[in-house]
């Protein structure tokens, strides 16, 4: 699929992942895109401008004071007419600059003076990525409408393994692909995150869930043309831009929100890690710690997915099964018990809280394993499978 760009600025910052920028540039040019490369001084320590000039067929700019720009204002002139600016790799330092509106070199000034979308592909050591300052910066960038691509998880140049690797060039190209319209006109309700059941005003029981998979699916569905409603338990994620989000706390809150909105939905994707049990009699006051054993009576919560799937005019239902063993067998049992057309299964050890995941999709035709990758990419693959199944059943949007 052709990318929706004719003219693109590719910004490269300092980091070992700069070597990937050469392949990314090659793939962009292969798509017929006019790519102008702009490098920071640090980037030039990792890859030479002459390499990128040879691949782009254009001079590479590195300085605010380049005299080849007629009006002496490269920070203004270079971005005029550009469809987007893509920073790959984007270092932790450069991301911090973007958050604070710093403009101390050509590339940061271009980003501040732009009139086009900005996309960043982070690349750094895992400790730098996990640092609270970097995580705050990422959330602020998203709130500012800057699209964050990745990072990926894996072996790093320092010899450690974890999150922080820049996405592979092929993965970035896939994320740059335009909305396919595969889900145009469809209304999709997605649940995400955990639910919380209070024991007393300060204590609670919950399920472990970051909400990243559900939020990735919501963003991907919107990019594919769907009208998305995201019902989310408590998470530390910024609300996806342009998507309606309803926040809930308990499983009962989520059930009520789902049932209030399910009537007009074409698809229901139950990604949330809903608590199976709630406390029978939560205390209105904080329970005092003592030497005695504390016993809690737990009552089962309503199975939201099963409830929706059993409705007379149920939407197309997609479930999630996180298992610790016998993944395919347990997931298929769950799919059949709830009469679901599709379930996505993963081992809890593979992706809990991480940015990468490894899903297997199970439907009436069998199991369809998806390659391990960033949740943003796996979400698109899942939705493509959903769209194919919807086409086969010829479901029309609800009035």
């Amino acid at each position: 699929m052709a990318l929706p760009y004719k003219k693109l600025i590719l910004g490269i910052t300092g980091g070992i992942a700069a070597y990937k920028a050469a392949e990314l540039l090659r793939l962009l040019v292969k798509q017929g895109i006019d790519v102008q490369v702009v490098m920071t001084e640090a980037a030039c320590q990792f890859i030479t401008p002459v390499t990128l000039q040879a691949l782009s067929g254009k001079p590479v700019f590195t300085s605010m004071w380049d005299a080849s720009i007629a009006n002496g204002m490269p920070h203004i002139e270079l971005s005029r007419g550009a469809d987007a600016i893509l920073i790959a790799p984007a270092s932790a330092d450069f991301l911090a600059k973007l958050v604070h509106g710093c403009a101390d070199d050509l590339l940061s000034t271009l980003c501040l003076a732009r009139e086009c979308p900005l996309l960043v592909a982070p690349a750094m050591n895992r400790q730098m990525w996990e640092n609270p300052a970097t995580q705050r910066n990422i959330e602020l960038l998203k709130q500012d409408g800057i699209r964050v691509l990745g990072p990926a998880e894996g072996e790093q140049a320092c010899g450690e393994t974890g999150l922080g690797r820049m996405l592979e060039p092929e993965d970035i190209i896939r994320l740059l692909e335009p909305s396919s319209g595969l889900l145009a006109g469809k209304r999709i309700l997605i649940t995400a995150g955990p639910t919380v059941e209070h024991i007393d005003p300060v204590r609670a029981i919950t399920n472990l869930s970051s909400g990243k998979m559900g939020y990735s699916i919501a963003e991907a569905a919107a990019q594919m043309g769907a009208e998305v409603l995201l019902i989310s338990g408590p998470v530390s994620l910024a609300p996806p831009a342009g998507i309606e989000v309803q926040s809930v706390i308990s499983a009962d809150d989520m059930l009520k929100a789902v049932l209030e909105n399910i009537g007009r939905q074409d698809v229901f994707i139950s990604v949330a890690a809903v608590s199976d049990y709630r406390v029978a009699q939560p205390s209105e006051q904080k329970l005092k710690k003592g030497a005695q054993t504390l016993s809690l009576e737990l009552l089962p919560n309503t199975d939201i997915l099963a409830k929706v799937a059993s409705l007379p005019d149920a939407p197309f239902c997609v479930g999630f099964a996180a298992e610790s063993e016998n993944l395919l067998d347990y997931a298929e049992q769950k799919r059949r018990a709830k009469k679901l057309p599709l379930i996505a299964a993963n081992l809890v050890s593979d992706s809990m809280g991480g940015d990468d995941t490894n899903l297997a999709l199970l439907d009436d035709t069998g199991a369809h394993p998806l390659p391990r990758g960033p949740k943003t990419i796996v979400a698109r693959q899942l939705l493509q499978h959903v769209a194919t199944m919807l086409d086969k059943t010829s479901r029309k949007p609800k009035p």
Side-chain angles (χ1 to χ4, degrees):
M1 184 182 298
L3 299 185
Y5 307 108
K6 293 182 179 178
K7 184 177 180 182
L8 191 71
I9 292 177
L10 176 60
I12 303 173
T13 68
I16 188 60
Y19 81 91
K20 294 183 180 180
E23 175 63 9
L24 176 59
L25 174 58
R26 187 188 72 81
L27 294 175
L28 291 169
V29 171
K30 188 176 180 180
Q31 292 256 359
I33 299 172
D34 179 359
V35 183
Q36 175 61 65
V37 177
V38 178
M39 301 175 67
T40 66
E41 181 179 350
C44 297
Q45 301 298 315
F46 293 89
I47 187 170
T48 66
V50 69
T51 298
L52 300 162
Q53 179 173 333
L55 291 168
S56 68
K58 304 181 69 172
V60 173
F61 292 95
T62 61
S63 172
M64 281 275 288
W65 319 112
D66 197 305
S68 64
I69 300 294
N71 62 6
M73 298 182 184
H75 66 290
I76 300 294
E77 203 63 31
L78 288 176
S79 66
R80 295 300 180 257
D83 297 310
I85 299 175
L86 169 62
I87 313 297
S91 66
D93 175 68
F94 196 81
L95 295 176
K97 285 185 181 182
L98 293 177
V99 168
H100 295 288
C102 295
D104 62 354
D105 63 7
L106 177 58
L107 186 56
S108 58
T109 310
L110 268 173
C111 293
L112 193 61
R114 77 186 191 280
E115 293 181 330
C116 59
L118 174 60
L119 305 91
V120 296
M124 64 200 72
N125 168 269
R126 69 172 183 85
Q127 286 99 339
M128 296 175 73
W129 173 255
E130 294 169 358
N131 189 287
T134 302
Q135 290 304 303
R136 286 195 300 271
N137 289 340
I138 289 294
E139 294 308 316
L140 288 171
L141 291 174
K142 290 179 179 179
Q143 291 176 29
D144 288 343
I146 296 173
R147 189 176 173 195
V148 180
L149 311 178
E153 184 175 13
E155 186 176 347
Q156 301 180 334
C158 60
E160 297 181 352
T161 300
L163 280 170
R165 284 173 56 97
M166 180 176 133
L167 292 178
E168 296 304 314
E170 295 83 359
D171 292 333
I172 293 176
I173 293 295
R174 280 195 289 271
L175 289 175
L176 294 179
E177 291 175 354
S179 169
S180 62
L182 285 176
L183 297 172
K186 301 293 185 185
R187 299 186 185 96
I188 300 181
L189 193 158
I190 300 166
T191 62
T195 60
V196 176
E197 311 298 330
H198 282 286
I199 297 171
D200 63 20
V202 298
R203 300 181 181 91
I205 56 176
T206 187
N207 284 351
L208 296 177
S209 173
S210 66
K212 291 178 181 178
M213 190 71 243
Y215 275 58
S216 295
I217 293 172
E219 290 182 311
Q223 291 168 6
M224 296 169 74
E227 178 183 327
V228 180
L229 170 61
L230 177 62
I231 297 177
S232 175
V235 297
S236 299
L237 298 172
I243 293 175
E244 181 183 355
V245 181
Q246 291 187 15
S247 297
V248 298
I249 301 296
S250 68
D252 190 54
D253 295 336
M254 184 169 284
L255 172 64
K256 291 176 180 176
V258 168
L259 293 181
E260 286 173 0
N261 292 280
I262 202 65
R264 296 174 64 246
Q265 304 298 326
D266 300 295
V267 180
F268 175 51
I269 306 180
S270 179
V271 193
V274 182
S275 301
D276 294 317
Y277 297 93
R278 68 184 184 277
V279 178
Q281 294 182 327
S283 175
E284 294 183 1
Q285 304 299 327
K286 178 183 176 182
L287 297 173
K288 297 302 180 182
K289 180 180 179 181
Q292 70 277 16
T293 300
L294 176 65
S295 296
L296 294 175
E297 181 183 0
L298 301 179
L299 300 177
N301 282 320
T302 300
D303 188 317
I304 299 175
L305 178 56
K307 178 77 172 177
V308 171
S310 67
L311 293 174
D313 190 23
F316 184 93
C317 291
V318 181
F320 265 70
E323 303 290 348
S324 59
E325 59 180 348
N326 300 326
L327 177 64
L328 297 183
D329 287 343
Y330 286 167
E332 180 62 12
Q333 290 174 27
K334 186 176 295 186
R335 188 183 78 86
R336 291 182 179 276
K338 298 183 183 182
K339 299 184 170 88
L340 305 176
L342 178 65
I343 197 165
N346 69 289
L347 289 170
V348 292
S349 59
D350 280 349
S351 61
M352 190 65 72
D355 286 357
D356 283 21
T357 191
N358 189 29
L359 292 182
L361 307 183
L362 285 77
D363 57 24
D364 286 341
T365 66
H368 311 275
L370 299 180
R372 183 175 182 83
K375 289 178 179 177
T376 51
I377 293 175
V378 174
R380 289 165 65 96
Q381 296 170 334
L382 165 66
L383 291 170
Q384 288 166 357
H385 193 88
V386 170
T388 299
M389 294 184 71
L390 287 173
D391 286 342
K392 290 180 180 178
T393 56
S394 300
R395 290 186 63 90
K396 296 180 180 179
K398 294 186 177 182

